[in-house]
Amino acid sequence: MHTCGKALGVAGALVTASGVLRDFMINRCRPFIFATAPSPLIAVAVRAALFILEQEPEQQRRLARLVAFTHRKMEARSLRCHSSSQILPYIVGDNAPTMRLASAMQDRGFDIRGIRPPYGTGGNGALANFTDAKRR
């Protein structure tokens, strides 16, 4: 199973399985499949994203280098980040300062989002830096 989302930049998920498992899921999970099925356009977008992953492996290596670079810069400034993905959360504290700081960073060209509880931040506001291989 792959959730697609953040890694591929597409909503939805996919399951790769043997024919037997696929048939079992179609026959036993039909209401779930049809109740949650994404639009066909999403399937096209997922296929295109998977094609890019296969054809442009340098993008993955570049992203890994950018993530490592960002971690080093944060650590050099004693900023702790508990993530190894391209989404780097930084806990700020209260919501109002979090959102002001996110806005100030966005004004300076950073792809920073303010995240407020209850989204996995332990009751604190956080900034999330979204590192992208296509950025300069």
Side-chain angles (χ1 to χ4, degrees), residues 29 68 106 118 131:
C29 305
Q106 290 165 1
T131 306

Side-chain angles (χ1 to χ4, degrees), residues 3 27 39 51 65 75 85-86 88 132:
T3 58
N27 289 301
S39 82
F51 180 79
R65 288 191 304 269
E75 289 171 6
S85 81
Q86 70 271 23
L88 306 170
D132 183 330

Side-chain angles (χ1 to χ4, degrees), residues 78-101:
S78 299
L79 301 173
R80 297 186 57 99
C81 178
H82 303 286
S83 171
S84 59
S85 81
Q86 70 271 23
I87 300 173
L88 306 170
Y90 175 71
I91 304 297
V92 175
D94 292 333
N95 289 339
T98 297
M99 300 314 288
R100 279 194 305 271
L101 186 54

Side-chain angles (χ1 to χ4, degrees), residues 24-102:
F24 175 81
M25 291 175 70
I26 289 170
N27 289 301
R28 297 293 184 151
C29 305
R30 186 173 294 273
F32 179 74
I33 291 170
F34 288 106
T36 62
S39 82
L41 183 58
I42 296 296
V44 171
V46 168
R47 181 174 284 190
L50 292 171
F51 180 79
I52 290 168
L53 283 176
E54 182 180 25
Q55 298 299 312
E56 300 179 23
E58 177 54 34
Q59 296 295 337
Q60 293 174 60
R61 290 189 291 272
R62 176 171 161 68
L63 179 59
R65 288 191 304 269
L66 289 170
V67 169
F69 172 81
T70 304
H71 274 282
R72 285 192 308 274
K73 292 297 183 180
M74 290 179 75
E75 289 171 6
R77 290 165 177 76
S78 299
L79 301 173
R80 297 186 57 99
C81 178
H82 303 286
S83 171
S84 59
S85 81
Q86 70 271 23
I87 300 173
L88 306 170
Y90 175 71
I91 304 297
V92 175
D94 292 333
N95 289 339
T98 297
M99 300 314 288
R100 279 194 305 271
L101 186 54

